Amino acid sequence: MEIKEEMQQRIAKIEQALQSYLPKQEAFPPVIFEAMRYSLFAGGKRLRPILVLAACEAVGGQENEAMPFACALEMIHTYSLIHDDLPAMDNDDYRRGRLTSHKVYGEDMAILAGDGLLHHAMETMAAACYANPSQKSTGAMLAIARGAGINGMLTGQVVDVYMEGKPLDAQTLEFIHLHKTAAMIRGALEAGATVGGADAETIQKFGLAGEKIGMAFQILDDILDVTGTEEELGKPIHSDEKNEKTTYVTLYGITQSKEIAARLTEEACQIWDEMGESCRFLHALTAYLLQRTY
Amino acid sequence: MEIKEEMQQRIAKIEQALQSYLPKQEAFPPVIFEAMRYSLFAGGKRLRPILVLAACEAVGGQENEAMPFACALEMIHTYSLIHDDLPAMDNDDYRRGRLTSHKVYGEDMAILAGDGLLHHAMETMAAACYANPSQKSTGAMLAIARGAGINGMLTGQVVDVYMEGKPLDAQTLEFIHLHKTAAMIRGALEAGATVGGADAETIQKFGLAGEKIGMAFQILDDILDVTGTEEELGKPIHSDEKNEKTTYVTLYGITQSKEIAARLTEEACQIWDEMGESCRFLHALTAYLLQRTY
């Protein structure tokens, strides 16, 4: 099966599960559930939940056991986008080709919609752990909480905001990318492998591959902001230049940035190769992500 | 022992535990950890974590097993205050006699400090569940997640913000108080009883008592905003009147509001009486909370 087709099938499953985990829009008060749904069902690529499910599958785990963690991770990712877009943060008007949450619902409801998605991710994972308390379920929850938390994504966002308008050195930029983007992708693969029942050594390898994929993914984002079109990306291009942001492109240029991303992708694929046939889809997906810029 | 003295002892233990769960201020980037600490160590009453520990103790559980959940609940409570105070929400400059987070650290860092505390509550609870996976630990986490989440505190805040400036009927005001305040106090007592190993029926009774205590507590807050002094409360008085907020005082008057709070307190104390000697401290604490207005 073509990788795109395979991804579409998985996305369909995830969309259905996300629907089931979120309260109906008629729930009281409607505005918050509408705002949460507006951002959660905005045509995201669902990369992170796909990675959770794929890692679980690769180590022989059950998809239904991984699904709550996959959906929770997507809720956390969506919350982070809503808060990143706020006027006090990046002050972005568009995301995925649509108005951002605070432009539609106001700043107060956008903050609360983000909070609500983070709360609901916590509740969804806690419910899954309570239904089946084990080191597998609680370990998956911990991997996601760590990837997202104050030693992960949140810290990356803090440094990003804190350094706004200042030129960054290579080390600080790597810190931001590693935390803001790679930590959650690392968490996705760790969580999937953990809930799937992998041993500690295997979980660690999945995590390492996740970190490399996450870095490559973010470097490609830096590149696409320069080389992509607004239609392809669903958001304004050249936003980094406009915001005077230091990126891999400004530090290393496009050619070298592509080389770094290709090398990281290659290293991740080597990990999948070592794991063998069970990681075939993860290998194909990793290679596919790199192709976005070519 | 006097109830005040007993509470001070418990507060000291909780302060120490909170310190141990939070990264040192030197951690990178310092600003976010400083902002999280600024609000978390601002002289709060620690009522919610005290209730978690007291419930656990009352059903014969171990304090050290309850402590991560007690501290997580206080982190969630603190995050909710930081976000409630934001310019896009209540736009308050003072809290507990000190400048609010966004006045000290800016709006962006205040949003992130709140997010960070919610993330860290999730991580603290997930780590406790992973260290000891059981229905007790995961059930405690679920009780807290539910109390805080989109069918609990968060929804109360949403309706509060959404109805701002509009007169409320009794039903809507009760909805807000039940969700914004009582749900977390209910969650505290449920979580403590759950991690302490209580059976389902007992947990339910603790939850019901928590709901009554939470409602009484919030009605007293409404009263104190009219009858208290700024020194006693550490925040401006008459803020509800200034913000044209419907409260129990505006709907029922001071005398009847006090009667309602006293009745709720009495009902909670009856639950503790039925439970017997093990709930002595909870009984004393419940009665003490009511005395704040007399």
Side-chain angles (χ1 to χ4, degrees):
Chain A
M1 206 187 312
E2 272 284 319
I3 176 79
K4 273 195 180 177
E5 200 182 323
E6 204 163 339
M7 282 186 73
Q8 280 310 324
Q9 286 189 4
R10 287 163 198 248
I11 287 172
K13 270 191 201 172
I14 291 163
E15 298 285 331
Q16 203 179 3
L18 276 172
Q19 291 284 359
S20 75
Y21 283 118
L22 222 65
K24 298 278 168 293
Q25 210 152 306
E26 307 91 71
F28 184 78
V31 59
I32 187 70
F33 299 109
E34 192 189 317
M36 286 166 66
R37 289 182 166 277
Y38 177 81
S39 295
L40 196 56
F41 298 103
K45 292 181 292 291
R46 311 301 191 202
L47 172 63
R48 290 156 191 80
I50 286 176
L51 288 172
V52 176
L53 299 184
C56 176
E57 185 186 303
V59 301
Q62 298 295 314
E63 185 180 271
N64 64 328
E65 288 183 29
M67 193 58 95
F69 301 98
C71 288
L73 196 59
E74 187 69 2
M75 292 177 208
I76 296 174
H77 173 59
T78 306
Y79 125 76
S80 77
L81 301 181
I82 295 175
H83 281 197
D84 281 13
D85 288 338
L86 286 169
M89 307 275 194
D90 289 353
N91 196 19
D92 278 322
D93 292 353
Y94 287 92
R95 160 82 65 184
R96 292 171 180 162
R98 309 202 304 167
L99 285 170
T100 46
S101 182
H102 64 92
K103 296 300 282 184
V104 178
Y105 298 100
E107 204 178 333
D108 48 2
M109 281 301 151
I111 294 169
L112 289 165
D115 291 347
L117 284 166
L118 182 52
H119 275 293
H120 204 54
M122 175 158 74
E123 192 171 331
T124 300
M125 291 196 288
C129 288
Y130 180 66
N132 199 356
S134 67
Q135 289 224 312
K136 294 192 324 183
S137 62
T138 58
M141 177 163 72
L142 183 56
I144 289 171
R146 283 192 177 145
I150 62 172
N151 292 306
M153 180 185 72
L154 193 271
T155 283
Q157 174 66 1
V158 169
V159 178
D160 197 15
V161 165
Y162 192 65
M163 298 299 286
E164 201 192 334
K166 299 172 200 130
L168 306 180
D169 58 22
Q171 201 187 350
T172 308
L173 181 63
E174 194 189 0
F175 182 95
I176 292 172
H177 282 7
L178 264 177
H179 286 77
K180 190 170 170 174
T181 308
M184 279 277 276
I185 292 180
R186 177 184 193 114
L189 285 167
E190 284 174 348
T194 303
V195 75
D199 59 37
E201 197 191 336
T202 306
I203 294 167
Q204 209 186 2
K205 282 184 188 163
F206 274 74
L208 186 62
E211 195 168 287
K212 291 174 186 297
I213 295 168
M215 280 302 285
F217 187 78
Q218 184 56 53
I219 294 167
L220 292 180
D221 239 39
D222 289 353
I223 297 169
L224 285 167
D225 190 64
V226 179
T227 65
T229 67
E230 201 153 324
E231 291 72 42
E232 277 167 20
L233 305 180
K235 59 183 178 184
I237 53 168
H238 305 308
S239 67
D240 294 332
E241 193 186 334
K242 195 188 74 186
N243 298 325
E244 295 178 7
K245 275 208 162 183
T246 306
T247 69
Y248 267 67
V249 174
T250 57
L251 282 187
Y252 302 101
I254 289 177
T255 306
Q256 206 185 331
S257 294
K258 282 190 179 179
E259 283 166 14
I260 297 170
R263 179 175 51 73
L264 287 162
T265 302
E266 179 57 34
E267 287 169 6
C269 284
Q270 271 172 23
I271 294 174
W272 304 137
D273 283 342
E274 283 165 28
M275 299 273 194
E277 179 58 25
S278 65
C279 292
R280 188 197 58 79
F281 175 70
L282 281 166
H283 190 296
L285 176 57
T286 304
Y288 169 73
L289 290 173
L290 184 73
Q291 289 165 13
R292 292 190 303 153
T293 51
Y294 291 96
Chain B
M1 205 186 317
E2 273 283 320
I3 177 78
K4 273 194 179 176
E5 200 182 324
E6 204 161 339
M7 282 186 75
Q8 280 311 320
Q9 287 188 4
R10 287 164 197 247
I11 288 172
K13 269 192 202 171
I14 291 162
E15 298 284 331
Q16 204 179 2
L18 277 172
Q19 291 284 358
S20 75
Y21 284 118
L22 221 65
K24 297 278 166 292
Q25 210 151 307
E26 307 92 71
F28 185 79
V31 61
I32 187 70
F33 298 108
E34 192 189 318
M36 286 164 67
R37 289 181 166 278
Y38 176 82
S39 295
L40 195 56
F41 298 104
K45 295 181 289 291
R46 310 302 190 199
L47 172 63
R48 291 155 190 81
I50 286 175
L51 288 172
V52 176
L53 299 184
C56 176
E57 185 185 303
V59 301
Q62 298 295 314
E63 186 180 271
N64 63 329
E65 287 183 30
M67 193 57 95
F69 301 98
C71 289
L73 197 59
E74 188 69 4
M75 291 178 209
I76 295 174
H77 174 59
T78 307
Y79 124 78
S80 76
L81 301 180
I82 296 175
H83 281 196
D84 281 13
D85 289 336
L86 285 169
M89 307 275 195
D90 289 353
N91 196 19
D92 279 323
D93 291 352
Y94 288 93
R95 161 82 64 183
R96 292 172 180 160
R98 309 202 303 167
L99 285 170
T100 46
S101 182
H102 63 92
K103 296 300 283 184
V104 178
Y105 298 100
E107 205 178 331
D108 47 2
M109 281 301 150
I111 294 170
L112 290 166
D115 291 348
L117 284 165
L118 181 53
H119 276 294
H120 204 53
M122 174 159 73
E123 192 171 332
T124 300
M125 291 194 286
C129 289
Y130 180 66
N132 199 356
S134 68
Q135 289 222 313
K136 294 192 323 184
S137 61
T138 57
M141 180 172 180
L142 183 56
I144 290 171
R146 282 191 178 146
I150 62 172
N151 292 306
M153 180 186 72
L154 193 272
T155 283
Q157 173 65 3
V158 168
V159 177
D160 197 15
V161 165
Y162 192 66
M163 298 299 286
E164 202 192 334
K166 297 170 202 135
L168 305 180
D169 58 22
Q171 199 186 354
T172 308
L173 181 63
E174 194 188 1
F175 182 95
I176 292 173
H177 282 5
L178 263 178
H179 286 78
K180 191 169 170 175
T181 307
M184 279 276 276
I185 292 179
R186 177 184 192 114
L189 285 168
E190 284 174 347
T194 304
V195 75
D199 59 37
E201 197 191 335
T202 306
I203 294 168
Q204 209 186 0
K205 282 184 189 164
F206 273 74
L208 186 62
E211 195 166 288
K212 291 174 186 297
I213 294 169
M215 281 302 286
F217 186 78
Q218 184 56 53
I219 293 167
L220 292 181
D221 238 40
D222 289 355
I223 296 169
L224 285 168
D225 191 65
V226 178
T227 64
T229 67
E230 200 153 326
E231 291 72 42
E232 277 168 18
L233 304 180
K235 59 183 179 184
I237 54 168
H238 304 308
S239 68
D240 293 333
E241 194 187 334
K242 196 188 73 185
N243 298 326
E244 294 178 8
K245 275 206 162 184
T246 306
T247 70
Y248 266 66
V249 174
T250 57
L251 282 187
Y252 302 101
I254 289 178
T255 306
Q256 206 184 334
S257 295
K258 282 189 179 180
E259 283 167 13
I260 297 169
R263 180 175 50 74
L264 287 162
T265 302
E266 180 57 34
E267 287 169 4
C269 285
Q270 271 172 22
I271 294 174
W272 303 138
D273 283 341
E274 283 166 29
M275 299 274 194
E277 181 56 25
S278 65
C279 292
R280 187 199 59 79
F281 175 70
L282 281 166
H283 189 295
L285 176 58
T286 303
Y288 170 73
L289 289 174
L290 185 73
Q291 288 164 14
R292 292 190 303 153
T293 52
Y294 291 96

